Amino acid sequence: MMSAPGYPPNPGAGPGYQHGGRPAYPPQGQGSFPPPMHGGQPMANAPGAVGPPGGAAPHQPMFASPPGAGGAPNRQPMAGTHGAGHAGPPPPGAPQGHAGPPLGQGGPPQRQPGPAPMGQPGPPMGPPGQPQVRPGPPMGHAGPPMGHAGPPLGQPGQPQGQVSGGAPAGQGGMPHSSLSGPSQQHPGWQQPPGGQGGAVRPPQMAPGAAGQFPGPGANMTGPPGGMSRGGVGAPPMGAQPRMSGHPGHAGPGHAGPTPQPTHPGMTQPPGPPTHQGAGGFPGQAGAPPPGNYPPGPGSVPPNFAGGPSPPGNTWPAPPGPHPSPGMPGQGMAAPQAPGANYGPAGPQQPGLNAGPMDNTPRVTPESTPHPLAVWQADADAYSEQSFYTNQRGIIPPLPTTTCDIVDQGNASSRFIRTTLYNVPSSQDILHKTNIPLGLVIQPMAKLPPKEDNIFIVDHGEKGPLRCRRCKGYISPHATFIDGGRKYACNLCLFQNDVPDNYQCQLDQNGLRLDYNERPELSCGSVEFMATSDYCKDGKWPDPPAYIFLVEVTYQSVSCGMLSLLSRMLRLVLDDLPKDVGQEKTKVRIGIATFDSTVHFYNLKASLVQPQMLVVPDVADVFLPLLDGFLVDPEESSLLIDMVLEELPRLYSNSRETTSCLGPAVQAGLEALKAAECSGKLFVFSASMPKADIPGALKNREDRALFRTDKEKNLYAPQNQFYPTLGAECVKHGACVEMFCCSTSGYVDMPTMTSMVAPTGGEVHHYPFFTFQADGERLIRDLRHSVSRQTGFDAVMRVRCSTGLRATDFWGNLHMMNTTDVLLGGIDCDKAIDVEVKYDDKLGDEGTLAYYQVALLYTSVGGQRRLRIHNLAVPCTKQLAEVYRCADMDAVMNIFIKKAVKKLYDTPYKTIRGHLLEQSIALLTCYRKDVSEPASGARLILPEAMKLLPVYVCSLIKSEAVCALSDSRIDDKAWLMHQVTAMPVTASVPYLYPTVLPVHTASPDSDDMPTPCRCYYEALSQEGAYLLENGFVLMMWLGSRLHPAWVKDVFGVHSLAEINVDKFVKLPLLDNPTSTRLRGIVSKVLNSRVHSMKMAVILQGGQKEVFLRRLLCEDGSGDGGPSYMDLLCHMHKEIRNSLR
């Protein structure tokens, strides 16, 4: 890792050493390879940037899609990119650690002589006194006895090697990724004809049912010496013990022995004892506590061992010495598949007792599929062009890609994404793939400024044209026939008459001549002005109202919430939303307060001063005034200011601790009902409602129930008062937005969300609220909630082609029946997921399947509108086409919401097992029925879904799904509530958090730092990193961070002077480094919906355990697997299925 720009080397660091005491790369020109270029700039710490100690050969490019007709990537265009699935260097920021000489030998590492010819003892690998490279046995060394079929092939361990494309050169077929050897020839490597890289050979694991990990005590083989990613075992002979870090991480130059599969009939010499780990993953039971990071010099690179070759493959062993039996990690040389890469491996690093030269490429964490490379490739593909929605069989740009999307008949992917852009023509094909067929709908999504807003069409009193059979709306996919006098509905194929005033002649292609003049016939998304038939009781609605309900108990006053709202609410009201074209907002507001009673304020503009009216009977609340409670904020601005200024003084000496939260919400609902309008209730609470009032609650937190069959009881509401109140709010078009500023940290979040979620609202959570630490977050969230575009009193229905139907729905919603979704309010940040099932077979190959989403809502200007989103996707009978056009981000969005919903009635272990079983079945089907024939030792992933293992690994460890040992019920229930309604743009960073090396940011540049991989060894001791997932923001400071950088950012001379417990935000210092860093933090906060509280984490500090939980590629302390462990498990299960 490089030091911060502009700073000299850290005087506290030893000469030539950086992270974990590893030797630093030599400067350019001192025996180093030229740095690879990525985007015109050298990649920091990239493979091949500098020569590792000992002159080891650098790693090769990781992924390459197979050439041929079928190997074209599924996004357009992809040529020339360096993303996953294409040959090229890994993206910048991928750490490349190296094991160096033992500590105590200062100075930069020297270049060592290269390896000697295979079969001959090599020269010493280091200066005198260091271990020598062990010579291999003669090439004619006899192997183990023949005749034993199907021996276990890997030593205990962890995969190592490289990743390459799937199909051999010159063959067609599906683009896929396989964990295997380099796909490009490198100097010093001999590549036989065929061009196919060697395969990843994961370690043998204990047998078990698909998706089920062996329990504690199960024998699972790992790397030599019992090493495993996430745990520590005995190191190989002659190697120094490895410290716990990002297990399995190895940089360029690691060339330890890699076990290879033997010929059928050969036995494998016994390896070292297996390491037994808890939770079914190797190396976890004996893992040291999280504080032994990072690994020291001499770290042992674990190996990816493999299974036996398929019967009938009797290729000769590759040239080179055969390993001698009896040594850890050594065995009979494996047969190589035609086209596999084999040749002399790079020399060993000093300090490792090397075995014979091994020909199997290694898999390292850097060579496994990871989101950063995929995101970068997609961003490069659309860097200079727009995406047109009428392209068929093409996955739209990823949510992380910034590009213009042009609506040409299909709705933008910002509004609707489907899991499959090639729909299977029958239920049998879909069931075989195990990919869910569904939609992620964000109907009110905010469009970028460069994209056109949705057109609004007014058809007058008759309203929009609809199908008489299915009630679907006219769309660009309808077919006009009979000279334009009729049209065939694309959903049900029924032929409808066209009204006389809507008829138009057709051209030679059957298109209407006014096709481009009517947005409903040319755009995938359109809005219609609704008629009175779409209004309740046939009456046009009034503009919605915003009612602010503020708690004024002792807790609210003592924590500073009341004084903060009194000062800032007036400024927030300036951001009230308005419709396009309106000069001023039409939203009316009302203010009420509550403690043990409810207080209403008369803000009528004709009054000299406001009036307060108290409702003491909270068991039967009512509205004490009709005229003067809901007012125009501009006309009554003086009275509003007077009330807000008076509230802190009025309740400053209050000793009332009882809160009547439920009756206060009832009172707000009564006000909306009396005004005959929809609206939103902003509720500010500082305590849990207790005592003898309706909706009283008690503390029921019991962490002992986590991960038991009774855990589901924690997520159920205490009583039915709040769920019933929420359903009543939805019925009258009221949306509840709640701000929980609890001083005790407990508000019974499951009960609160049971009232808020059905209304389409949201709960904002600020546990242990203080004015200094949380006040700025509260105001930012409130301002965003008030100003964002929202639809009220909404009803949504999803219609599909004949043969499909929408069945299950997930989100903050209320189901009136099996088809209609009721929403008190729906804003631009909420998404609803829909699962689609088959009623019948679809059309033949190439025919289209259609989805239409219709949202009826009241705008902030009081207009009743219909927002329509249309999507057409082709049908297919080919499994390869289904996998090629699978949207990984939409699939994971549905996975996480289904998992959270199951937590209400299913134990976590069952949910985890189901997720793993479905993921393994999905990959097994691709491996068996789609990919090119290959050795069973290869782990082949679909190109479009190669991120499935890392996302699933993160999902089963996420706090929203997995209750951690020290989780609080409120925190977990709040995350479950947030995840249920999150769109794809939020689920992606939640599953793979962003890690930014802010110490590398140049003060002279406005570009964001290049993100790093999400594991601990990617963090340098001399660096500072910003980590966020949309809900949590942390800054990790390495123990050897330069003091000058610390002084510029924090204004102190050392890390020890930073009070991490009382840290609130970065100090405002007048220097370029501080200004640059605060700008980066501001950009991160502005890119997320929720305002995140920033925490400072020191390396080795007590709070570091919270940061490690977000590093999704590492194993967790609660038994969660690491990414590499999960790859091993999946590969083992896939191979078992293939047998």
Side-chain angles (χ1 to χ4, degrees):
M1 293 293 179
M2 58 187 297
S3 299
Y7 295 109
N10 189 346
Y17 283 87
Q18 295 192 14
H19 178 45
R22 299 181 180 185
Y25 289 121
Q28 195 72 10
Q30 299 181 14
S32 63
F33 295 99
M37 303 298 291
H38 186 80
Q41 298 295 331
M43 288 166 45
N45 300 333
V50 288
H59 280 294
Q60 299 301 304
M62 297 184 293
F63 274 97
S65 292
N74 58 327
R75 291 190 177 89
Q76 301 292 332
M78 295 294 286
T81 61
H82 296 283
H86 299 271
Q96 304 290 337
H98 296 271
L103 288 170
Q105 299 182 8
Q110 304 296 322
R111 291 200 64 181
Q112 306 298 333
M118 297 185 65
Q120 302 179 10
M125 296 298 295
Q130 295 190 358
Q132 305 290 317
V133 175
R134 185 185 302 276
M139 292 184 63
H141 177 74
M146 306 286 291
H148 178 70
L153 291 172
Q155 300 301 327
Q158 191 66 6
Q160 282 272 13
Q162 299 213 350
V163 187
S164 77
Q171 295 184 5
M174 282 296 301
H176 55 255
S177 301
S178 63
L179 296 178
S180 64
S183 60
Q184 292 183 351
Q185 196 166 1
H186 184 274
W189 291 79
Q190 298 177 358
Q191 187 165 357
Q196 184 175 359
V200 166
R201 299 176 170 86
Q204 296 290 329
M205 304 177 72
Q212 299 295 329
F213 295 96
N219 291 330
M220 300 180 67
T221 58
M227 286 298 299
S228 155
R229 184 171 178 184
V232 178
M237 297 178 61
Q240 300 180 11
R242 174 184 173 89
M243 299 177 64
S244 172
H246 178 63
H249 172 72
H254 288 270
T258 303
Q260 299 186 5
T262 60
H263 292 282
M266 292 189 178
T267 59
Q268 182 83 356
T274 19
H275 184 69
Q276 300 179 359
F281 290 96
Q284 290 188 1
N292 294 343
Y293 287 120
S299 300
V300 180
N303 298 324
F304 227 149
S309 299
N313 293 341
T314 55
W315 304 297
H322 288 259
S324 58
M327 299 297 293
Q330 298 179 6
M332 197 61 166
Q336 295 286 344
N341 292 317
Y342 51 84
Q348 295 285 345
Q349 292 206 26
L352 295 179
N353 191 6
M357 295 296 183
D358 190 6
N359 304 320
T360 304
R362 302 182 181 281
V363 167
T364 64
E366 290 76 22
S367 61
T368 53
H370 62 93
L372 297 182
V374 176
W375 298 344
Q376 185 61 49
D378 197 67
D380 293 341
Y382 295 103
S383 60
E384 298 180 355
Q385 61 179 317
S386 302
F387 175 78
Y388 297 89
T389 62
N390 61 346
Q391 303 178 72
R392 297 183 181 179
I394 300 296
I395 302 177
L398 299 179
T400 55
T401 299
T402 301
C403 79
D404 294 335
I405 300 178
V406 182
D407 187 340
Q408 290 192 335
N410 273 339
S412 168
S413 57
R414 307 188 197 280
F415 295 119
I416 179 172
R417 299 183 78 99
T418 178
T419 56
L420 296 173
Y421 285 88
N422 273 331
V423 179
S425 58
S426 67
Q427 174 68 39
D428 294 339
I429 300 176
L430 179 68
H431 180 74
K432 192 173 185 179
T433 65
N434 277 273
I435 303 175
L437 178 58
L439 306 171
V440 181
I441 306 167
Q442 194 176 354
M444 301 294 291
K446 186 177 180 180
L447 295 175
K450 293 183 179 180
E451 296 182 17
D452 296 331
N453 290 323
I454 295 180
F455 289 98
I456 301 176
V457 180
D458 188 356
H459 284 293
E461 296 180 357
K462 294 185 177 180
L465 194 61
R466 302 184 66 178
C467 175
R468 287 191 296 152
R469 176 189 288 176
C470 69
K471 302 303 180 182
Y473 295 88
I474 190 70
S475 75
H477 310 295
T479 304
F480 286 88
I481 55 179
D482 194 14
R485 290 183 290 272
K486 292 185 178 181
Y487 80 95
C489 174
N490 57 292
L491 297 175
C492 66
L493 305 181
F494 183 77
Q495 295 184 6
N496 298 270
D497 294 328
V498 178
D500 294 340
N501 62 348
Y502 199 79
Q503 291 183 9
C504 180
Q505 293 182 356
L506 308 181
D507 63 10
Q508 63 274 17
N509 297 320
L511 296 177
R512 289 171 56 116
L513 297 180
D514 61 350
Y515 171 81
N516 291 321
E517 299 174 7
R518 291 191 175 272
E520 69 272 21
L521 300 181
S522 58
C523 298
S525 296
V526 68
E527 278 198 350
F528 296 107
M529 296 296 295
T531 63
S532 59
D533 296 336
Y534 295 89
C535 304
K536 291 182 178 179
D537 302 325
K539 181 181 178 182
W540 294 103
D542 289 331
Y546 285 4
I547 299 178
F548 298 87
L549 304 170
V550 183
E551 181 178 326
V552 290
T553 61
Y554 170 79
Q555 295 92 326
S556 173
V557 175
S558 62
C559 71
M561 184 192 79
L562 180 59
S563 61
L564 175 66
L565 291 174
S566 299
R567 294 203 318 266
M568 302 302 297
L569 188 56
R570 174 69 260 182
L571 299 177
V572 171
L573 295 180
D574 294 336
D575 296 328
L576 287 172
K578 55 187 177 183
D579 271 342
V580 177
Q582 291 181 348
E583 296 181 358
K584 56 174 291 186
T585 181
K586 292 187 178 182
V587 175
R588 294 174 294 170
I589 71 160
I591 298 176
T593 57
F594 64 94
D595 43 24
S596 59
T597 59
V598 183
H599 325 123
F600 292 87
Y601 297 89
N602 188 344
L603 303 175
K604 192 173 182 179
S606 60
L607 296 177
V608 177
Q609 62 181 11
Q611 298 174 349
M612 183 175 73
L613 296 90
V614 180
V615 179
D617 187 5
V618 296
D620 185 17
V621 293
F622 63 93
L623 185 65
L625 73 163
L626 295 177
D627 186 21
F629 180 65
L630 297 178
V631 297
D632 185 295
E634 185 175 333
E635 295 176 357
S636 302
S637 60
L638 293 179
L639 295 177
I640 293 173
D641 292 341
M642 293 173 65
V643 168
L644 296 178
E645 291 175 2
E646 189 67 15
L647 286 179
R649 186 196 63 80
L650 190 62
Y651 297 101
S652 60
N653 297 322
S654 173
R655 292 295 179 264
E656 181 64 67
T657 60
T658 302
S659 165
C660 62
L661 173 65
V665 176
Q666 286 179 325
L669 176 60
E670 289 298 324
L672 294 178
K673 291 165 62 176
E676 296 183 350
C677 70
S678 58
K680 182 176 290 189
L681 306 178
F682 294 89
V683 184
F684 302 88
S685 172
S687 61
M688 184 173 65
K690 300 178 181 178
D692 297 330
I693 59 174
L697 302 174
K698 61 181 180 180
N699 193 324
R700 55 174 180 150
E701 185 164 15
D702 187 0
R703 299 181 184 178
L705 298 182
F706 281 153
R707 299 197 180 188
T708 67
D709 292 340
K710 295 183 179 180
E711 179 184 349
K712 59 186 178 183
N713 298 332
L714 297 175
Y715 309 131
Q718 279 195 39
N719 52 53
Q720 290 302 309
F721 175 85
Y722 291 97
T724 302
L725 180 56
E728 187 72 11
C729 289
V730 176
K731 181 179 178 181
H732 293 90
C735 176
V736 181
E737 196 93 359
M738 191 169 182
F739 298 80
C740 293
C741 307
S742 172
T743 56
S744 64
Y746 181 80
V747 296
D748 197 348
M749 189 62 65
T751 302
M752 295 296 101
T753 57
S754 70
M755 174 185 65
V756 175
T759 69
E762 181 178 359
V763 178
H764 303 267
H765 186 37
Y766 312 94
F768 306 102
F769 179 90
T770 62
F771 173 85
Q772 296 81 5
D774 304 297
E776 187 175 343
R777 296 171 54 215
L778 171 61
I779 297 303
R780 181 184 181 277
D781 289 338
L782 175 60
R783 186 185 296 270
H784 180 70
S785 297
V786 168
S787 62
R788 62 186 171 189
Q789 288 292 329
T790 306
F792 297 95
D793 196 12
V795 182
M796 190 185 81
R797 176 174 287 190
V798 179
R799 296 179 173 89
C800 307
S801 297
T802 301
L804 298 174
R805 61 184 173 92
T807 55
D808 297 322
F809 298 81
W810 300 281
N812 290 351
L813 50 85
H814 178 73
M815 296 297 299
M816 182 174 65
N817 48 48
T818 58
T819 58
D820 292 333
V821 178
L822 293 186
L823 301 157
I826 176 73
D827 58 63
C828 59
D829 299 318
K830 301 295 189 300
I832 297 173
D833 287 19
V834 181
E835 187 170 20
V836 179
K837 294 185 178 179
Y838 287 77
D839 284 333
D840 199 356
K841 292 184 178 181
L842 303 182
D844 296 332
E845 190 83 18
T847 57
L848 296 178
Y850 301 97
Y851 305 107
Q852 185 178 89
V853 179
L855 178 71
L856 174 65
Y857 72 97
T858 301
S859 71
V860 292
Q863 295 179 344
R864 200 67 173 158
R865 297 179 181 176
L866 280 161
R867 177 169 287 202
I868 310 298
H869 299 298
N870 297 285
L871 182 64
V873 291
C875 301
T876 182
K877 296 182 179 179
Q878 306 298 322
L879 282 173
E881 288 300 303
V882 175
Y883 280 97
R884 185 180 68 85
C885 293
D887 189 333
M888 185 74 259
D889 298 320
V891 169
M892 291 309 304
N893 192 274
I894 289 181
F895 272 4
I896 190 172
K897 292 182 180 181
K898 291 179 69 173
V900 167
K901 187 175 182 179
K902 287 181 180 179
L903 283 173
Y904 291 97
D905 53 25
T906 308
Y908 163 72
K909 292 182 180 179
T910 304
I911 297 172
R912 185 184 74 164
H914 177 75
L915 279 170
L916 294 171
E917 287 177 4
Q918 186 172 3
S919 302
I920 292 170
L922 187 156
L923 298 177
T924 301
C925 175
Y926 180 83
R927 178 68 177 82
K928 181 179 180 181
D929 300 321
V930 179
S931 66
E932 296 291 336
S935 168
R938 302 185 64 184
L939 176 58
I940 300 178
L941 305 174
E943 177 64 22
M945 305 192 74
K946 61 187 172 186
L947 299 182
L948 178 67
V950 68
Y951 281 157
V952 170
C953 179
S954 177
L955 173 56
I956 62 179
K957 295 181 296 185
S958 65
E959 191 172 358
V961 176
C962 173
L964 306 178
S965 56
D966 57 350
S967 295
R968 299 172 60 253
I969 295 178
D970 274 8
D971 295 339
K972 178 170 172 53
W974 178 74
L975 276 175
M976 294 168 60
H977 166 71
Q978 293 293 335
V979 162
T980 301
M982 67 167 47
V984 176
T985 52
S987 61
V988 169
Y990 180 73
L991 291 175
Y992 198 87
T994 304
V995 183
L996 299 175
V998 293
H999 64 286
T1000 64
S1002 172
D1004 300 328
S1005 174
D1006 292 332
D1007 297 334
M1008 296 290 284
T1010 302
C1012 299
R1013 292 283 294 274
C1014 199
Y1015 57 79
Y1016 192 83
E1017 281 198 3
L1019 311 181
S1020 167
Q1021 290 181 335
E1022 298 180 352
Y1025 297 84
L1026 202 64
L1027 184 145
E1028 63 88 16
N1029 68 349
F1031 301 104
V1032 178
L1033 178 64
M1034 299 180 182
M1035 179 179 286
W1036 183 87
L1037 305 177
S1039 59
R1040 303 172 75 178
L1041 183 62
H1042 202 286
W1045 195 92
V1046 177
K1047 175 68 175 176
D1048 286 347
V1049 173
F1050 295 95
V1052 296
H1053 296 86
S1054 67
L1055 296 175
E1057 299 180 36
I1058 302 176
N1059 191 338
V1060 296
D1061 295 327
K1062 296 184 178 181
F1063 178 83
V1064 176
K1065 63 179 181 179
L1066 294 171
L1068 185 63
L1069 302 178
D1070 187 14
N1071 64 75
T1073 303
S1074 175
T1075 303
R1076 179 77 171 98
L1077 182 57
R1078 284 184 282 109
I1080 293 175
V1081 173
S1082 179
K1083 286 184 178 180
V1084 170
L1085 292 176
N1086 292 333
S1087 66
R1088 302 301 181 207
V1089 174
H1090 301 91
S1091 181
M1092 297 175 284
K1093 185 177 181 179
M1094 185 174 176
V1096 171
I1097 309 294
L1098 301 181
Q1099 184 180 13
Q1102 294 181 351
K1103 293 185 177 182
E1104 196 176 34
V1105 63
F1106 299 107
L1107 176 133
R1108 294 195 178 189
R1109 289 174 179 170
L1110 299 182
L1111 300 176
C1112 59
E1113 293 194 44
D1114 288 332
S1116 68
D1118 293 88
S1122 69
Y1123 177 28
M1124 302 290 274
D1125 286 336
L1126 189 62
L1127 281 174
C1128 293
H1129 174 75
M1130 286 184 168
H1131 191 209
K1132 184 264 293 185
E1133 295 293 344
I1134 293 172
R1135 283 172 32 213
N1136 289 344
S1137 300
L1138 293 177
R1139 291 172 184 156

